[in-house]
Amino acid sequence: MLDPDAIRTANQTHAEPHRRDLEALAEQLHRRGIDVDSILERLQTFDVAVPSWALGTGGTRFGRFPIGGEPRDVYEKMDDIAVIQRLTQTTPRVSLHIPWDEPDDPKALKAHAAELGLGFDAVNSNTFQDQAEQHHSYKFGSFCHTDAAVRDQAVAHNLHVIEVGRTLGSESITIWLADGSSYPGQMHLRRSFERTLACLERVYAVLPEGWRLFTEHKPYEPAFYATVVQDWGSSLLLAQALGERAACLVDLGHHLPNTNIELVVARLISAGKLGGFHFNDAKYGDDDLTAGSIRPFQLFLVMNELVDAARELGPAFAPAYMIDQSHNLKDPIEALLMTVDNLQRAYAKALLVDRDALDHYQERNDVVMAEQTLRAAYETDVRSLVAALRERQGGALDPTAAFRASGYRQQTARTRNRAGYVPPQSL
Ligand code: LRH
Ligand code: MN
C-alpha cells in the first residue's frame, strides 16, 4: 500500500508554485472566455484502464532488464495499479490478459480488486502463443487456420476468457489476432479472412448480455507479409459483419509510418464503430512506448476527434480507453504515471479548442485561422489544470514526485524478494 502521508507531504511541497501556475492559467483562459471549472468537470469524465501486462518490466528479444520489487503475481499487480489510481485518480479499471494474468480464483481476484477500489475493463484473449497443455499449435494462425480443430480450440479459448471476464465483472473482450503469413503464397488472403470472420461469429453469438467485442488491427509482427486483420478497413469489415455489439479497437502503435491516425479515428466514429483504444506511442513500429512521449501533437489530434464527437453524440459516445505499453527501461509504475498525465493533458488541451470558431473558419476555408484556433489549444500549458483535478479528487499534484517520495518501490523491493510468499485465498 502507498504511505498515506506521501501524497499530502508531496502536495504541500508543490502547493505554492502550483497555486500561482493555476491562477495564471485561469486568468489566461478567462480572457479566452473559458471557465476553468467547466473544463475540470469535463476532464473528470476521462479515465483509462491499466493493462495487467505492463506492471512488470517488459523486454525485447535482445534482452530484458528486470528491476527489484516487481509484482510476482496478478494480486501484486492489482496493488501496484491501486497505487497509480491513488496518485492519479484516473485509472479505476484493469484490463486483464489471459492466460498471462489468469487468476486461479477469479472471485478472490475480484474481491481483492474491489478492496483496492478497482474494477475490470476489457479482457484480452491470447491465441498468439502456444500454452504447455495445448493440443494444437497456433504456429500457422488461430481463427484463420486451415485446420478446423485449431479454430475450434481458439474459439473455445475466447469463450473461456469471456467466462473469466464475467466473473470479474468485465463487459468486453478485445481480440487481437497475430494470424497472418510471412511469405507471398503462404496463405490464401480471402479464405483466411472468411475463416476468421466465421470464428468471430461463433464468439459473438455467445457474447453475454451487454458485452462488447473489440477487434484490434495491426499491420505486421509477428507476421511479416500479410496480417489477416491488417488495418482499420479489415477490422471495420469484421465489426460491421458481426453486429452492433462489435467495434474496432485502435492501438496507436499499430499503424504504418505517416498514417494519419486521427483520420482513422474519425472514419470509425462516422461508421459508429469506434470501440476503444490502446494508448501508447511509437517512432518506428509497434514500439509500445509511453503515450505522448514521441508524438504528443498526434495524441492531441486524436483526442480532438474524440472531444468533437462527444460534443455531437453525447454520453452514448463512450469508447473504451485503455493503455497498452511495454516498459523496458522505465520503472513500470513511473511510466504509467507519466502516461496518464500525458493522456489527461492531451484531453484537456482538446477541451480548450474553441469549436464554434473552428467550425466557422473550416466552413469558410480560412486555413490560417482554422489552424491557429487548433494550435492555440495545443500550445496551452495545462499542467496546473490536470494537477488541480488530481488534487481535487485526493490525488497528487505531481504523481511521480509523490511516488518517489513514498519509497514504495524500495519497499516492494524489500518485501517481494522475501521467500515464502502466499497469494490471498478466496474468502
Ligand atoms: C499486440 C497487442 C495486443 C495485445 C498485446 C499485448 O501487439 O497490441 O493488444 O494483446 O499487444
Ligand atoms: Mn494493443
Side-chain angles (χ1 to χ4, degrees):
M1 205 44 211
L2 190 77
D3 161 10
D5 297 335
I7 293 180
R8 196 165 36 69
T9 320
N11 283 359
Q12 271 158 4
T13 324
H14 294 85
E16 186 47 27
H18 166 68
R19 188 189 60 72
R20 285 209 300 275
D21 291 348
L22 186 62
E23 217 167 74
L25 176 61
E27 193 274 328
Q28 181 202 131
L29 293 180
H30 180 69
R31 268 187 281 118
R32 284 156 57 178
I34 299 172
D35 167 52
V36 164
D37 287 328
S38 73
I39 298 293
L40 285 173
E41 227 163 275
R42 295 166 66 197
L43 182 59
Q44 193 161 346
T45 66
F46 178 85
D47 59 28
V48 64
V50 175
S52 60
W53 59 93
L55 276 302
T57 46
T60 71
R61 58 188 163 160
F62 305 107
R64 180 173 169 270
F65 306 92
I67 62 169
E70 291 184 39
R72 294 169 293 185
D73 65 24
V74 68
Y75 292 93
E76 292 186 341
K77 290 187 177 190
M78 294 298 142
D79 298 342
D80 290 1
I81 296 170
V83 167
I84 296 167
Q85 168 59 2
R86 187 74 191 72
L87 291 162
T88 67
Q89 299 293 319
T90 307
T91 58
R93 291 178 312 285
V94 180
S95 181
L96 213 65
H97 219 298
I98 293 173
W100 284 346
D101 293 304
E102 177 157 7
D104 309 340
D105 181 341
K107 280 206 197 73
L109 183 67
K110 184 177 183 184
H112 184 70
E115 265 165 42
L116 295 167
L118 297 174
F120 290 90
D121 207 312
V123 283
N124 299 264
S125 59
N126 175 342
T127 58
F128 50 86
Q129 292 168 326
D130 291 345
Q131 308 306 319
E133 71 290 347
Q134 209 171 289
H135 296 304
H136 306 288
S137 171
Y138 293 132
K139 178 175 179 180
F140 296 112
S142 60
F143 284 4
C144 79
H145 204 289
T146 54
D147 179 345
V150 178
R151 301 197 299 273
D152 294 348
Q153 176 183 275
V155 168
H157 166 68
N158 278 274
L159 301 193
H160 167 68
V161 170
I162 289 172
E163 268 327 295
V164 175
R166 251 151 60 108
T167 311
L168 292 169
S170 177
E171 293 182 335
S172 53
I173 180 169
T174 297
I175 301 182
W176 168 66
L177 300 168
D179 294 21
S181 60
S182 288
Y183 298 94
Q186 173 191 339
M187 177 183 77
H188 192 280
L189 299 180
R190 288 181 291 111
R191 285 200 301 273
S192 54
F193 189 72
E194 284 141 20
R195 285 192 291 262
T196 298
L197 174 55
C199 288
L200 284 166
E201 282 166 344
R202 291 163 62 187
V203 176
Y204 188 84
V206 296
L207 211 54
E209 185 69 35
W211 269 57
R212 295 193 288 172
L213 182 155
F214 301 140
T215 53
E216 181 179 359
H217 60 274
K218 182 176 180 178
Y220 71 96
E221 188 208 36
F224 292 106
Y225 168 66
T227 295
V228 175
V229 190
Q230 174 142 350
D231 53 24
W232 69 274
S234 304
S235 183
L236 182 58
L237 285 173
L238 294 171
Q240 287 174 330
L242 289 169
E244 66 175 26
R245 293 193 289 139
C248 306
L249 183 136
V250 177
D251 184 312
L252 299 187
H254 290 184
H255 300 88
L256 296 174
N258 305 326
T259 299
N260 185 328
I261 300 177
E262 57 272 20
L263 180 76
V264 172
V265 170
R267 290 287 171 277
L268 293 173
I269 292 170
S270 299
K273 282 295 186 185
L274 178 65
F277 288 87
H278 277 177
F279 291 120
N280 51 50
D281 211 337
K283 179 123 182 95
Y284 303 105
D286 186 20
D287 309 341
D288 283 339
L289 299 174
T290 305
S293 61
I294 305 292
R295 294 177 287 188
F297 188 50
Q298 174 182 270
L299 182 62
F300 161 75
L301 293 172
V302 167
M303 296 299 193
N304 178 53
E305 290 304 322
L306 299 175
V307 171
D308 187 66
R311 177 180 64 151
E312 256 167 66
L313 304 171
F317 179 71
Y321 298 142
M322 300 176 275
I323 296 165
D324 178 2
Q325 288 173 191
S326 171
H327 305 119
N328 306 345
L329 301 176
K330 298 177 180 178
D331 177 305
I333 291 180
E334 293 190 2
L336 288 162
L337 293 174
M338 202 174 183
T339 301
V340 175
D341 190 43
N342 288 351
L343 292 172
Q344 285 182 295
R345 286 195 220 166
Y347 197 82
K349 289 176 185 231
L351 291 173
L352 295 181
V353 174
D354 182 341
R355 295 197 180 276
D356 297 337
L358 187 58
D359 289 348
H360 173 84
Y361 295 126
Q362 286 174 338
E363 295 310 311
R364 288 164 186 70
N365 300 306
D366 185 335
V367 180
V368 170
M369 289 312 295
E371 187 187 4
Q372 280 195 349
T373 303
L374 200 61
R375 298 286 317 199
Y378 178 68
E379 304 292 359
T380 307
D381 180 351
V382 295
R383 288 177 289 182
S384 58
L385 192 77
V386 173
L389 177 67
R390 283 192 292 263
E391 187 192 31
R392 199 183 263 205
Q393 298 172 304
L397 287 169
D398 180 335
T400 305
F403 175 70
R404 291 198 171 188
S406 76
Y408 181 82
R409 183 57 79 197
Q410 292 75 9
Q411 174 215 325
T412 58
R414 278 193 308 279
T415 54
R416 289 177 179 175
N417 297 339
R418 261 212 311 265
Y421 166 73
V422 179
Q425 300 307 311
S426 69
L427 304 172

